[in-house]
Amino acid sequence: MGWSVGQVCVERSLVFRSNSPYPTDTVADPGGRGLLFCVRPHDPKLNYFIQPQEIKESDFSKFLEKYGRHSFLVSSQVQPSFSAFYRAGDPILIYFDSSSVLSTLRQPVAMGASGLCVNGNPAGFLESKSTSCTRFFANLSKSCTSDPALAAASYYRGFSVLKVPVKDTIVESMKVKITAVAPPAAPHMTENTCNNVVSEVIYKIEFSGTRGIQSVSVWFKVSNISGNSGSSLQQHFAFHFWTNTLSPVLPRSGNPGYITGAPLLIANSDGVQHMTILQSEGDGSCSQLLRHTVQFGRNMRTGCKLSLSPTLEESNCSYIQQKLYEALEGMNRAEDLAITGNARSTQAEEWTAILMQNCSVQGVNCTSCCMVPVTLEIQILWTRVGILSNPQAQILGARYFYKCQPLKLLSTGTVPLTTVITFTDITKWPEPPRGQPQKHWKLPFDIFYPFKMALNLERSYRTDLAGCCLLILLIFSILLF
């Protein structure tokens, strides 16, 4: 911070947002450090605190004609203009039914060196981004139950998102309710700890061109804060926008056969997508948004812990089963699996249905137990087809096999979940070739008779010669002795 021409200035590296109707300006830093944001203090000529005008009874009708509308705005003041549809960067409008108030969907941001949360920042349409900020509590026991920023309900209850900007009467068809995925219970104090405090909020917004916002979902991650005075909490906020009509075409995973390591292609009512499985956060909890992509030919095993808050709704067995199935399968539930890596969504013969084997809903030997899925095994059978010099990988079938165990409803807290991917090669290779056929010569049976006779004569000659040599040796031995 410094002084320049009778003004209090700070460096431009600090971001400021001015909601004042009066103009602001930047000046060059004499030290050559760039532009400065400056405020001129103690200048009576720039005193914007005007003494309010006194209203007499005789002047009341005159002021009533000037300000007598739904809001106290000067008639010359420009009214906010709304376009027929959202444009990139436009604030997302929300509507409170109970008070008939129009506002904007907010994404808190950090301000200043300490990173304190500023709640007034509107979320921009089509601006998928993440922000983080810190909240400090002078009295945690009081803020735990009274601060709406700590409660999950304040992020989706009591208001609706408008599909498109509306400047006239708001009808029900223009409202989009926010769906909370596994919402946590309200914050509450236990001794010196505030439980179920929202530490992460993730919005997933579906839009469809000029038709506007179609659906809004929100995920939460909660934590506990200990202490009373001087406690702090770091919160994370994320907005993700997606669409079906403008979704990019997924790249092929092979042509035609699958390539080892390429994403596995699935199809459902939302189109062609990649098969995904559970992914854990740094603390071992199940991520509400991020998931691992299944790669062809690579066996995988993941695990995490899913938190279930002990609410009345989650004491219902069918409700818990549904939440665990949704967590294991993900939002994009697989229905069909691509046989080859270049399968087309329009060709039914290039896809195979995934077999499902869910848990049995029959009761167990426990009055307060529920059979819930805890492990999902995705079993995939594949083979190699084509010529031996260049075989192509092709999927024959797949099955979702769930392993279940009883869960006590009264002790519902965290449930460990596991996902296993196995690829089984059932290729049946042909017998190897025996080589080139040999020629079969047909010769007379006595073709070798002359050679046999010559060999027999040679053998008899050698026998006679050996006998003569032996006789000569005997004669010489007698003569010598």
Side-chain angles (χ1 to χ4, degrees):
M1 182 174 292
W3 291 80
S4 175
V5 198
Q7 301 176 357
V8 179
C9 303
V10 294
E11 294 183 8
R12 191 183 180 186
S13 59
L14 297 178
V15 179
F16 283 84
R17 295 175 180 269
S18 175
N19 295 322
S20 171
Y22 307 102
T24 59
D25 197 3
T26 57
V27 298
D29 181 13
R33 293 176 296 175
L35 297 178
L36 300 177
F37 182 90
C38 302
V39 178
R40 182 177 297 173
H42 307 302
D43 192 340
K45 297 180 181 179
L46 300 178
N47 183 15
Y48 298 128
F49 297 96
I50 303 174
Q51 185 70 23
Q53 184 178 358
E54 183 180 357
I55 301 177
K56 299 179 182 180
E57 184 177 357
S58 58
D59 299 332
F60 191 84
S61 58
K62 179 180 64 175
F63 283 99
L64 183 61
E65 293 178 359
K66 186 176 182 180
Y67 299 101
R69 291 184 301 275
H70 295 292
S71 61
F72 288 91
L73 298 176
V74 180
S75 57
S76 61
Q77 187 172 347
V78 179
Q79 296 287 344
S81 60
F82 296 99
S83 61
F85 51 87
Y86 287 114
R87 293 183 173 90
D90 287 349
I92 300 174
L93 300 181
I94 60 175
Y95 182 76
F96 292 88
D97 295 309
S98 59
S99 56
S100 300
V101 173
L102 191 66
S103 183
T104 58
L105 190 62
R106 308 299 176 92
Q107 184 176 11
V109 295
M111 180 64 71
S114 59
L116 291 176
C117 290
V118 176
N119 299 322
N121 180 56
F125 183 68
L126 294 186
E127 293 182 352
S128 297
K129 61 181 181 180
S130 301
T131 58
S132 299
C133 58
T134 305
R135 300 188 188 275
F136 292 93
F137 309 100
N139 188 346
L140 180 61
S141 59
K142 181 180 179 181
S143 301
C144 181
T145 55
S146 62
D147 192 344
L150 305 182
S154 63
Y155 295 95
Y156 69 96
R157 285 184 183 174
F159 62 91
S160 304
V161 176
L162 298 186
K163 290 184 177 181
V164 294
V166 178
K167 58 182 178 181
D168 299 324
T169 304
I170 299 175
V171 296
E172 287 296 326
S173 61
M174 302 305 299
K175 303 176 186 177
V176 178
K177 295 293 184 181
I178 301 178
T179 302
V181 180
H188 62 277
M189 288 293 297
T190 303
E191 296 181 352
N192 202 29
T193 302
C194 182
N195 303 291
N196 290 337
V197 175
V198 173
S199 60
E200 186 173 3
V201 182
I202 301 175
Y203 285 98
K204 190 173 182 181
I205 302 174
E206 178 191 1
F207 70 98
S208 177
T210 58
R211 293 189 299 170
I213 296 174
Q214 302 299 310
S215 65
V216 181
S217 302
V218 62
W219 285 261
F220 298 99
K221 186 177 180 181
V222 297
S223 59
N224 301 330
I225 308 176
S226 300
N228 191 9
S229 61
S231 302
S232 63
L233 170 68
Q234 187 175 29
Q235 289 184 317
H236 305 274
F237 303 90
F239 278 74
H240 299 274
F241 293 85
W242 66 285
T243 177
N244 287 330
T245 57
L246 300 179
S247 58
V249 179
L250 293 178
R252 293 180 299 193
S253 296
N255 189 23
Y258 273 102
I259 299 174
T260 301
L264 211 60
L265 302 180
I266 61 171
N268 50 29
S269 57
D270 294 331
V272 180
Q273 302 174 16
H274 292 159
M275 179 183 287
T276 59
I277 58 175
L278 285 172
Q279 179 173 333
S280 62
E281 299 282 359
D283 57 356
S285 61
C286 297
S287 176
Q288 300 289 347
L289 188 62
L290 301 178
R291 292 173 66 88
H292 287 293
T293 301
V294 179
Q295 299 176 345
F296 178 80
R298 294 179 178 173
N299 298 337
M300 299 178 63
R301 183 184 183 92
T302 62
C304 59
K305 293 182 179 180
L306 182 66
S307 299
L308 295 175
S309 55
T311 61
L312 179 61
E313 187 179 18
E314 294 189 352
S315 298
N316 184 277
C317 179
S318 60
Y319 179 82
I320 296 178
Q321 287 180 339
Q322 178 185 355
K323 289 300 178 183
L324 294 181
Y325 279 123
E326 291 177 354
L328 290 168
E329 297 176 0
M331 290 189 59
N332 301 323
R333 185 176 185 270
E335 297 176 359
D336 297 315
L337 182 62
I339 297 176
T340 57
N342 64 346
R344 295 162 294 181
S345 59
T346 57
Q347 302 297 323
E349 65 275 7
E350 297 180 357
W351 300 82
T352 180
I354 299 177
L355 304 178
M356 298 287 182
Q357 185 172 348
N358 295 339
C359 294
S360 175
V361 296
Q362 297 179 357
V364 294
N365 295 328
C366 179
T367 56
S368 60
C369 294
C370 177
M371 289 296 293
V372 296
V374 294
T375 301
L376 169 60
E377 290 189 8
I378 303 178
Q379 304 166 349
I380 300 174
L381 304 179
W382 67 283
T383 184
R384 292 182 175 92
V385 298
I387 60 177
L388 294 176
S389 60
N390 186 25
Q392 301 294 309
Q394 177 177 306
I395 291 178
L396 298 180
R399 180 178 72 163
Y400 275 31
F401 179 75
Y402 289 94
K403 293 184 178 180
C404 313
Q405 69 179 24
L407 175 69
K408 292 185 177 180
L409 297 177
L410 299 179
S411 61
T412 303
T414 59
V415 180
L417 301 179
T418 305
T419 307
V420 181
I421 304 289
T422 57
F423 290 85
T424 304
D425 184 3
I426 58 173
T427 302
K428 186 177 181 181
W429 297 98
E431 295 182 1
R434 299 179 180 179
Q436 297 297 328
Q438 301 295 328
K439 295 181 179 180
H440 298 280
W441 300 97
K442 295 183 177 180
L443 302 174
F445 71 94
D446 58 348
I447 188 174
F448 296 105
Y449 179 77
F451 303 99
K452 291 181 180 179
M453 294 302 297
L455 291 175
N456 291 335
L457 292 175
E458 184 179 0
R459 289 172 185 166
S460 61
Y461 170 75
R462 290 177 181 176
T463 304
D464 295 341
L465 181 60
C468 293
C469 292
L470 181 60
L471 181 61
I472 294 171
L473 290 176
L474 290 175
I475 294 173
F476 272 99
S477 62
I478 294 173
L479 294 175
L480 291 176
F481 293 100

